[in-house]
């Protein structure tokens, strides 16, 4: 198809899952911010990856801001959903958040690609991508292209594999 030059994407996930760290890794060197502070509400970042301009809305993982994120659902052409694979206590919360997202009227009928990063794979006791896919019930997503990829946002491992899939799926 025709390659898009600018795409709007959403970066979602619970607080502390690694969203800001991932965005920071995807941005070019000169854009990198040195210190990442916890996001309050919403962070808008623009960066180029493989010649595609991305506008990323990095949503704070705090549910109280959900009303704020929903405004961006309609105009987004893809979703990156970040999961802390070592946070086994909150994986049920992740599933609930994913259910809410997938049932949203501005998401449910649209064939937009979803990339799942099973982040923090470097930590001991982190869940495998297969395990996470099972717990989250990803197989039920039949109307949207999706992909799950293990990542370590601290050293960048896995981010390229995921981003390449995403860029292909979105353009
Ligand atoms: P909110 O802004 O609160 O929603 O958090 P966030 O999802 O943007 O997470 P952030 O990028 O701020 O990362 C949270 C913490 O996890 C930071 O201390 C990061 O350094 C750390 N972190 C992120 N990715 C990884 C990873 O792959 N492995 C490990 N060990 N730590 C990570």
């Amino acid at each position: 198809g025709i390659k898009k030059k600018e795409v709007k994407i959403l970066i979602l996930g619970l607080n502390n899952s690694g969203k800001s760290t991932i965005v920071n890794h995807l941005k070019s060197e000169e854009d990198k911010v040195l210190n990442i502070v916890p996001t309050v509400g919403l962070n808008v970042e623009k960066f180029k990856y493989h010649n595609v301009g991305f506008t990323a809305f990095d949503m704070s993982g705090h549910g109280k801001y959900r009303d704020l994120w929903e405004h961006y659902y309609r105009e987004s052409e893809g979703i990156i959903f970040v999961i802390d694979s070592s946070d086994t206590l909150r994986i049920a919360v992740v599933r609930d958040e994913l259910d809410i997202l997938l049932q949203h009227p501005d998401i449910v009928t649209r064939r937009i690609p979803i990339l799942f990063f099973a982040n923090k794979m470097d930590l001991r006791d982190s869940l495998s991508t297969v395990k996470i896919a099972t717990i989250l019930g990803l197989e039920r997503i039949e109307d949207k292209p999706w992909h799950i990829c293990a990542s370590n946002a601290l050293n960048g491992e896995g981010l390229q594999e995921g981003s390449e899939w995403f860029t292909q799926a979105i353009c």
Side-chain angles (χ1 to χ4, degrees):
I2 297 162
K3 293 262 181 213
K4 283 188 188 162
K5 288 210 188 80
E6 292 288 337
V7 288
K8 288 180 178 156
I9 61 165
L10 290 171
I11 317 244
L12 298 170
L14 298 188
N15 61 301
N16 200 47
S17 53
K19 301 180 294 295
S20 304
T21 314
I22 286 176
V23 169
N24 201 40
H25 228 281
L26 299 177
K27 285 160 68 173
S28 58
E29 287 299 325
E30 70 260 38
D31 293 338
K32 267 187 189 146
V33 282
L34 286 177
N35 286 302
I36 300 172
V37 291
T39 318
V40 178
L42 172 72
N43 228 346
V44 182
E45 306 260 22
K46 281 180 180 283
F47 59 93
K48 257 196 154 149
Y49 186 83
H50 285 224
N51 268 331
V52 180
F54 285 94
T55 303
F57 302 102
D58 169 2
M59 309 298 168
S60 155
H62 303 270
K64 61 181 167 182
Y65 297 111
R66 185 174 292 113
D67 291 353
L68 190 61
W69 324 329
E70 287 182 341
H71 283 290
Y72 297 90
Y73 284 1
R74 195 184 298 247
E75 52 182 312
S76 294
E77 295 152 273
I79 295 169
I80 296 180
F81 196 99
V82 184
I83 300 143
D84 177 347
S85 345
S86 71
D87 191 353
T88 49
L89 285 177
R90 290 201 299 169
I91 194 77
V93 181
V94 175
R95 192 188 159 120
D96 290 346
E97 289 292 339
L98 180 63
D99 287 342
I100 294 169
L101 171 73
L102 292 174
Q103 284 160 26
H104 192 280
D106 290 335
I107 299 287
V108 73
T109 57
R110 298 173 55 216
R111 257 192 80 81
I112 54 175
I114 309 180
L115 170 64
F116 295 89
F117 276 125
N119 195 38
K120 306 199 186 183
M121 68 180 201
D122 55 297
L123 294 181
R124 221 163 24 97
D125 302 331
S126 62
L127 298 168
S128 68
T129 52
V130 173
K131 193 103 201 226
I132 291 173
T134 306
I135 296 170
L136 299 184
L138 299 186
E139 293 299 337
R140 78 201 143 118
I141 308 174
E142 289 175 330
D143 56 340
K144 294 174 181 54
W146 62 268
H147 181 71
I148 184 164
C149 193
S151 67
N152 171 353
L154 295 184
N155 69 6
E157 227 177 309
L159 295 184
Q160 185 166 349
E161 184 210 316
S163 306
E164 273 168 13
W165 177 86
F166 193 64
T167 310
Q168 287 291 318
I170 214 167
C171 294

